[in-house]
Amino acid sequence: MRKFFQEIKADLKFKTAGPGQKLSEPSRVPKEKPKGEAAPKPRQAPTGEAQMAAAAAMARLELKAKAKGPEGVRSQVRKELLAEAAASGTGLSVENEDPTSPDKEGAVALSVSGVYFICPLTGAVVRRDNKEKHLKEAIQAYFSVDPVTASIMAIHTFNKDQEKVRVGVETMAKYLDNIYLHPEEEKYRKIKLQNKVFQERISCLEGIHRFFQAVGFEAKTLPTQLLSLLIVETTEEFYILKEEMLTKLEDLKDYKEQLLSSEPVRAQLDRQLCIFKPSPEAARFELPGDFYNLTAEEIKREQRLRTEAVEKASMLRTRAMREKEEQREMRKYNYTLVRVRFPDGYILQGTFYARESVSALYDLVREALRDDWLPFELLGPGGLKLTDESLAFNECGLVPSALLTLAWDAAVMADIQASGEEQPASPLKPELLSRVQTLL
């Protein structure tokens, strides 16, 4: 009977375990402690000071999480995507990158993430350092579509010495012209690869052999004889026109014209057009190394030396010397980032070549307007008008970055206001305003 009551008592202890006590499994009965062993001390609750410290720590964590917010999460995800793309070598298009996000944690936010180009064959947007590789891959892929056009693009694009290209192309055109004018002459349909002219002018060009194959030539090894005291038989390599091409002489003529008239395939500079809300940060620029013609170390050294010697140099240099040095400074920049501030405060931003004429900027502004016929002027620092659109950006001192102000023609704007017609809130196109950003 005593054993029965002991089991009931143990079961009641399991059901009434207080807070802070670990419940044992129902099916197990706690074992009795040996008489000689001391019972464990009950766990004490945290002191008031410890509880206050824990509450303060939790509050700091919550504030930190709120401060980070969704933008912080997106920034972290973006960094992981960029790291993954860099590791795989695939790269990211401009649309997948934030042009103002810093490359490193804690770094200054860049005004633009780099210089980008648009491939004319694929339409892809690629970074400057990946431009040549992408163009080559695009031309190689085009061989499956049109081998003749692809080989001509390769000849003009892959060979950087344009004088050698000109000489080689003219020599090849002569070969094709002879076949077109004298199709009955077998000697014109055979081109000896060991020929000195062929070796010096043609064979050295990349893409040339694929061109001959694409237009109907095939490589053959033919026997020859060297006449001297002894008759020695040897072999030589030739390009020989296939017989079926004699019925396509007009095609050969077209290939010749295409070869002579083609130009190198060039990627187009992506303007990276952006529109920003009115901001006091409009005059602040943070540019990546793509905009400079010097390495990062050389730029830092130049800046340090210029800062140290600015007073002494200004005293000793003549005006001609200063102008010459300014021109030399302008040549250090390959690109420029230009912002145009409108009267309503909106800011239009685009990337240009440093040696590109200012007319390209006027064209960009007109394309951004609802009414491209509205006359306007662009004012540089100090209110200087940019009246000569033929001048280059570096000739106007608008490198590597510049903030310009747009001013409407006062007479035209007065006539528009006098007409009583309701004017839009902004002169910019709605599609631009729909993707307006905040300038950080």
Side-chain angles (χ1 to χ4, degrees):
M1 182 65 69
R2 179 179 299 177
K3 184 176 180 182
F4 173 76
F5 283 108
Q6 287 178 348
E7 290 178 354
I8 295 177
K9 185 177 181 181
D11 186 57
L12 288 173
K13 287 180 67 178
F14 164 76
K15 293 181 179 179
T16 59
Q21 295 180 349
K22 184 177 180 181
L23 299 180
S24 59
E25 297 180 6
S27 59
R28 295 182 182 179
V29 178
K31 298 181 179 179
E32 295 182 358
K33 297 288 182 181
K35 294 182 179 180
E37 184 176 345
K41 295 181 179 181
R43 184 176 180 179
Q44 296 181 353
T47 64
E49 293 182 356
Q51 292 178 0
M52 291 176 63
M58 290 298 297
R60 286 196 299 270
L61 289 175
E62 291 177 0
L63 287 175
K64 186 175 180 181
K66 290 180 181 178
K68 190 172 183 180
E71 285 299 327
V73 176
R74 282 195 290 267
S75 177
Q76 182 63 30
V77 172
R78 187 184 301 113
K79 289 178 182 178
E80 293 175 0
L81 288 175
L82 290 174
E84 182 180 355
S88 62
T90 57
L92 289 177
S93 65
V94 173
E95 291 77 12
N96 292 335
E97 291 191 15
D98 186 350
T100 59
S101 62
D103 295 333
K104 296 182 180 180
E105 186 71 25
V108 178
L110 296 176
S111 301
V112 64
S113 61
V115 177
Y116 292 83
F117 289 82
I118 303 173
C119 175
L121 298 178
T122 64
V125 179
V126 296
R127 284 191 70 107
R128 187 187 68 163
D129 52 5
N130 196 38
K131 175 185 62 173
E132 297 299 328
K133 177 185 176 183
H134 183 88
L135 276 177
K136 194 161 190 174
E137 292 175 350
I139 292 176
Q140 295 290 357
Y142 200 71
F143 273 96
S144 61
V145 178
D146 187 344
V148 175
T149 301
S151 60
I152 293 175
M153 288 192 296
I155 293 170
H156 285 276
T157 307
F158 297 164
N159 302 283
K160 301 306 179 184
D161 191 334
Q162 292 303 306
E163 180 59 23
K164 284 187 177 180
V165 172
R166 183 189 65 81
V167 173
V169 164
E170 290 178 353
T171 305
M172 286 187 290
K174 186 65 176 176
Y175 285 144
L176 298 179
D177 207 32
N178 285 336
I179 296 174
Y180 178 77
L181 296 175
H182 310 283
E184 70 283 353
E185 295 286 345
E186 183 180 356
K187 64 178 181 179
Y188 292 126
R189 303 198 301 270
K190 294 171 59 178
I191 302 175
K192 185 163 71 171
L193 273 62
Q194 282 74 28
N195 181 278
K196 183 179 180 180
V197 173
F198 188 89
Q199 288 292 322
E200 293 180 352
R201 299 184 181 182
I202 299 178
S203 187
C204 60
L205 298 178
E206 184 176 353
I208 194 66
H209 297 288
R210 300 188 74 171
F211 171 77
F212 277 108
Q213 296 169 5
V215 300
F217 286 87
E218 57 183 349
K220 285 188 177 181
T221 302
L222 300 178
T224 59
Q225 290 183 348
L226 299 178
L227 299 178
S228 59
L229 295 177
L230 297 175
I231 299 178
V232 181
E233 290 188 358
T234 61
T235 58
E236 289 184 323
E237 293 182 351
F238 291 84
Y239 273 136
I240 299 179
L241 188 68
K242 297 177 182 178
E243 289 292 333
E244 60 264 25
M245 292 305 300
L246 293 177
T247 61
K248 305 177 182 178
L249 294 177
E250 291 299 325
D251 290 345
L252 287 180
K253 184 180 178 181
D254 292 339
Y255 298 154
K256 181 200 75 172
E257 297 296 335
Q258 186 179 353
L259 184 64
L260 290 172
S261 62
S262 293
E263 297 286 341
V265 179
R266 295 284 184 255
Q268 179 183 358
L269 179 65
D270 183 25
R271 297 295 185 201
Q272 299 184 69
L273 186 64
C274 296
I275 184 72
F276 297 107
K277 297 176 182 178
S279 171
E281 299 292 329
R284 185 181 66 84
F285 292 90
E286 296 292 342
L287 301 177
D290 290 353
F291 280 74
Y292 303 93
N293 203 22
L294 300 174
T295 63
E297 292 75 15
E298 290 172 333
I299 293 173
K300 292 178 181 178
R301 185 174 66 251
E302 289 280 344
Q303 291 176 340
R304 184 178 66 254
L305 295 176
R306 191 182 307 116
T307 302
E308 293 174 353
V310 62
E311 291 185 2
K312 181 179 178 180
S314 61
M315 293 173 59
L316 299 180
R317 290 177 302 169
T318 64
R319 179 178 178 181
M321 293 172 62
R322 289 196 299 270
E323 291 178 351
K324 185 176 181 180
E325 183 173 334
E326 288 173 0
Q327 291 298 321
R328 186 165 58 249
E329 289 289 322
M330 293 302 102
R331 288 193 293 269
K332 293 180 180 179
Y333 309 111
N334 292 325
Y335 309 93
T336 183
L337 187 68
V338 181
R339 290 173 181 163
V340 177
R341 180 160 48 194
F342 284 74
D344 58 1
Y346 280 99
I347 302 163
L348 188 70
Q349 176 178 288
T351 303
F352 300 84
Y353 288 107
R355 295 172 179 82
E356 196 170 358
S357 66
V358 177
S359 62
L361 176 60
Y362 275 85
D363 293 339
L364 183 71
V365 173
R366 291 189 186 96
E367 292 174 1
L369 296 176
R370 291 173 181 261
D371 301 315
D372 56 5
W373 58 268
L374 285 174
F376 62 88
E377 293 177 327
L378 295 179
L379 308 180
L384 182 64
K385 296 181 180 180
L386 299 178
T387 55
D388 191 351
E389 297 184 24
S390 64
L391 291 177
F393 287 98
N394 58 355
E395 293 176 330
C396 300
L398 304 177
V399 290
S401 59
L403 172 63
L404 306 179
T405 302
L406 184 141
W408 302 113
D409 185 284
V412 174
M413 296 307 295
D415 292 341
I416 293 176
Q417 293 177 359
S419 65
E421 295 182 7
E422 184 179 354
Q423 299 300 314
S426 175
L428 293 167
K429 291 181 177 178
E431 54 266 30
L432 280 177
L433 295 173
S434 65
R435 49 192 180 96
V436 67
Q437 305 176 42
T438 300
L439 189 57
L440 302 177

